[in-house]
Amino acid sequence: MKYTNLMGDVFIVSAILLVSWYGVMRLIQLGPAPDAQPFNGVMHSVPFIGTAVFAFEGIALIIPIRESMKEPDKFPWVMRVMIIFMFALLAGFGFICYLAWGSTVPSVALNAPDWSPFLCVLQCGYIIAGFCGYPLLALPTFGVVENLLFASMPFST
């Protein structure tokens, strides 16, 4: 499962990097969006909060990752480093996209209408990433079902 999960991660990071690259190119060519403001008020922060919560949708993968680690005692350190890395990556990504598109940036960047050459490739990459992450996500369920169905059978190696 580590190879399929790694492949899915590569697709997701590639999509983030491609959209960021497109945003930086847009910033270089057109400058910041005219309606981009440092703080748009409390009511405009609600979509931000929803999107921030959406960023942690993969939290269910934490237990299977810890259980499959060779050295699970290093998990807290790895978790801290990855949360800091993901925060920096997603905050930078959001900052670039908001500066490039202003208030017209959609809460899901893959729904941006004005960069269609990349859109199909990125959306297909996210579909593949979803399929690649499914086996790891289903691992705890398979373990519980396996214990229920085969508890009375002898263990074989």
Side-chain angles (χ1 to χ4, degrees):
M1 285 186 283
K2 63 184 173 185
Y3 298 113
T4 59
N5 195 41
L6 184 63
M7 191 170 84
D9 291 345
V10 166
F11 279 113
I12 290 171
V13 171
S14 299
I16 289 172
L17 292 176
L18 279 171
V19 174
S20 297
W21 175 79
Y22 190 77
V24 168
M25 290 298 117
R26 183 179 168 104
L27 282 170
I28 290 170
Q29 292 171 355
L30 304 174
D35 63 342
Q37 299 174 3
F39 183 70
N40 252 354
V42 176
M43 289 311 293
H44 290 108
S45 299
V46 174
F48 163 76
I49 293 168
T51 305
V53 170
F54 179 69
F56 291 98
E57 68 177 335
I59 203 74
L61 297 174
I62 296 296
I63 294 170
I65 289 172
R66 184 181 185 283
E67 288 178 354
S68 66
M69 287 180 72
K70 207 179 267 188
E71 299 175 39
D73 55 315
K74 293 183 179 179
F75 180 76
W77 179 83
V78 172
M79 179 77 168
R80 272 187 235 115
V81 169
M82 289 312 299
I83 284 183
I84 292 168
F85 170 74
M86 291 307 297
F87 171 77
L89 180 73
L90 294 174
F93 177 73
F95 182 71
I96 289 170
C97 289
Y98 182 68
L99 274 179
W101 287 281
S103 64
T104 62
V105 68
S107 50
V108 177
L110 293 178
N111 293 336
D114 66 336
W115 48 278
S116 58
F118 295 116
L119 189 59
C120 183
V121 172
L122 293 178
Q123 288 175 338
C124 289
Y126 259 78
I127 291 169
I128 293 169
F131 281 123
C132 290
Y134 177 75
L136 189 61
L137 182 63
L139 182 65
T141 307
F142 294 153
V144 169
V145 170
E146 211 171 62
N147 286 339
L148 290 173
L149 293 177
F150 304 113
S152 63
M153 296 183 155
F155 183 75
S156 64
T157 57

